């Protein structure tokens, strides 16, 4: 299928009547690729948790720092970014290619709008360096065997697997740990796993049901998890300093001032496969 045909069929599958995490996130980041249902869900989130917008920005900043670490310090040259969301400033390929112009990235998301915008954004990039496919992380085999992913990523060499802000949309009954294990098995020694996950550990006064309600009508409900529930995603791999911590505390930029009870209600961390 040609890119233009894929583009048209993707556009025709965008369901504007129910909120999608990628578009809610886009709205919170100040983007324009969202619809009334997404904005309504986001505004509901902001009522429950007024710092959500700052939290989303802190999350994004963590991703930028962690990808920068992988590309500049850990020597990772290829990335599989799953649940990437709508392209915005500081995308994985921009951060990685700044550190290493040869870096390659395969983006994966299950919202067709990401495919539409991703294709447009990536046009004009060096051929084969970056691709975007529409797939769901609940189907790891589809992603791992996808010809476009295989074209960009050599699974015999270390891969940076990115699961930023996606695992809290996988319900317990969908086997989140087994899904992550499948991606971990698919990559060789020296590969890294970068993940971030929503938690209410930093917001003890927030009512869980109220917090997750805006996502109940959406394409994926939200499941905040505790430190004890997030840490096992790294099982068997060595967690890089400073460990699995609140995203704002993961290798903050110089001059950063930590504000206790701030709104980055998410854990972030990076681990390496022995």
């Amino acid at each position: 299928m040609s890119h233009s045909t894929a583009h048209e069929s993707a556009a025709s599958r965008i369901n504007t009547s129910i909120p999608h995490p990628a578009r809610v996130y886009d709205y919170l980041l100040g983007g324009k690729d969202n619809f009334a249902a997404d904005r309504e869900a986001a505004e509901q989130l902001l009522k429950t948790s007024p710092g959500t917008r700052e939290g989303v920005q802190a999350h994004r900043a963590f991703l930028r720092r962690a990808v920068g670490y992988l590309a500049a310090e850990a020597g990772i040259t290829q990335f599989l970014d799953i649940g990437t969301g709508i392209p915005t400033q500081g995308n994985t390929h921009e951060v990685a290619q700044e550190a290493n112009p040869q870096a390659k990235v395969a983006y994966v998301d299950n919202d067709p709008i990401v495919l539409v915008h991703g294709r447009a954004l990536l046009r004009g990039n060096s051929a084969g360096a970056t691709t975007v496919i529409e797939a769901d992380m609940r189907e790891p085999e589809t992603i791992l065997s996808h010809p476009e992913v295989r074209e960009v990523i050599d699974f015999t060499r270390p891969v940076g697997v990115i699961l930023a802000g996606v695992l809290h949309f996988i319900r317990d009954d969908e086997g989140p740990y087994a899904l992550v294990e499948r991606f971990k098995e698919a990559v060789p020694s020296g590969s890294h796993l970068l993940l971030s996950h929503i938690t209410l550990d930093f917001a003890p006064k927030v009512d869980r049901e109220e917090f997750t309600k805006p996502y109940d009508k959406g394409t994926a409900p939200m499941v905040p998890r505790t430190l004890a529930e997030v840490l096992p995603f790294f099982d068997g791999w060595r967690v890089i300093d400073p460990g699995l911590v609140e995203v704002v505390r993961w290798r903050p930029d110089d001059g950063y001032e930590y504000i206790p009870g701030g709104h980055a209600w998410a854990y972030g961390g990076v681990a390496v496969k022995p």
Side-chain angles (χ1 to χ4, degrees):
M1 189 189 286
S2 74
H3 278 352
S4 60
T5 324
H7 189 287
E8 282 151 26
S9 67
S12 69
R13 285 194 312 282
I14 296 167
N15 184 344
T16 63
S17 63
I18 55 172
H20 187 285
R23 301 192 304 253
V24 172
Y25 195 71
D26 175 72
Y27 174 73
L28 291 167
L29 280 170
K32 299 189 170 47
D33 300 307
N34 47 71
F35 302 99
D38 308 304
R39 295 191 281 276
E40 200 180 307
E43 288 299 338
Q44 214 180 324
L45 261 179
L46 288 165
K47 271 198 195 105
T48 316
S49 159
T52 297
R53 189 166 268 131
E54 291 79 357
V56 163
Q57 287 163 347
H59 212 165
R60 193 78 200 168
F62 158 73
L63 179 66
R64 176 180 53 72
R65 296 194 307 276
V67 169
Y69 161 78
L70 291 178
E73 293 181 49
I76 296 293
T77 58
Q78 41 178 12
F79 297 83
L80 179 59
D81 186 344
I82 301 165
T84 176
I86 293 163
T88 174
Q89 285 347 103
N91 295 297
T92 297
H93 73 281
E94 291 163 335
V95 177
Q97 288 169 358
E98 196 177 306
N100 175 0
Q102 304 303 307
K104 298 180 173 191
V105 182
Y107 289 110
V108 181
D109 202 282
N110 67 352
D111 184 354
I113 200 170
V114 174
L115 187 73
V116 172
H117 288 279
R119 292 268 191 236
L121 171 87
L122 302 174
R123 211 168 286 142
N125 255 39
S126 50
T130 318
T131 190
V132 53
I133 68 157
E134 186 189 342
D136 196 303
M137 82 161 284
R138 294 170 188 83
E139 294 169 359
E141 302 314 324
T142 305
I143 295 170
L144 295 167
S145 64
H146 196 286
E148 285 188 48
V149 170
R150 292 263 159 194
E151 202 178 305
V152 171
I153 296 197
D154 172 359
F155 284 95
T156 66
R157 290 175 37 247
V159 180
V161 178
I162 299 176
L163 294 168
V166 285
L167 290 167
H168 44 252
F169 294 115
I170 307 289
R171 299 190 314 266
D172 290 340
D173 62 357
E174 293 176 305
Y177 301 100
L179 288 172
V180 173
E181 280 310 312
R182 183 64 199 94
F183 289 109
K184 284 159 71 182
E185 281 161 16
V187 295
S189 168
S191 293
H192 286 64
L193 172 61
L194 182 172
L195 69 79
S196 57
H197 197 299
I198 294 290
T199 183
L200 289 178
D201 286 2
F202 307 112
K205 294 195 177 92
V206 171
D207 179 81
R208 185 186 168 113
E209 266 178 49
E210 276 299 301
F211 182 73
T212 59
K213 197 188 281 173
Y215 283 97
D216 289 351
K217 294 191 197 104
T219 56
M222 185 188 273
V223 188
R225 292 186 172 97
T226 63
L227 181 63
E229 291 169 317
V230 179
L231 206 46
F233 286 119
F234 284 139
D235 275 1
W237 289 31
R238 180 171 63 80
V239 182
I240 303 288
D241 280 347
L244 184 65
V245 293
E246 191 177 2
V247 286
V248 291
R249 287 181 175 262
W250 199 91
R251 305 190 175 213
D253 296 324
D254 290 345
Y256 168 76
E257 188 187 345
Y258 177 69
I259 301 161
H263 288 284
W265 297 341
Y267 283 114
V270 174
V272 60
K273 184 169 186 170

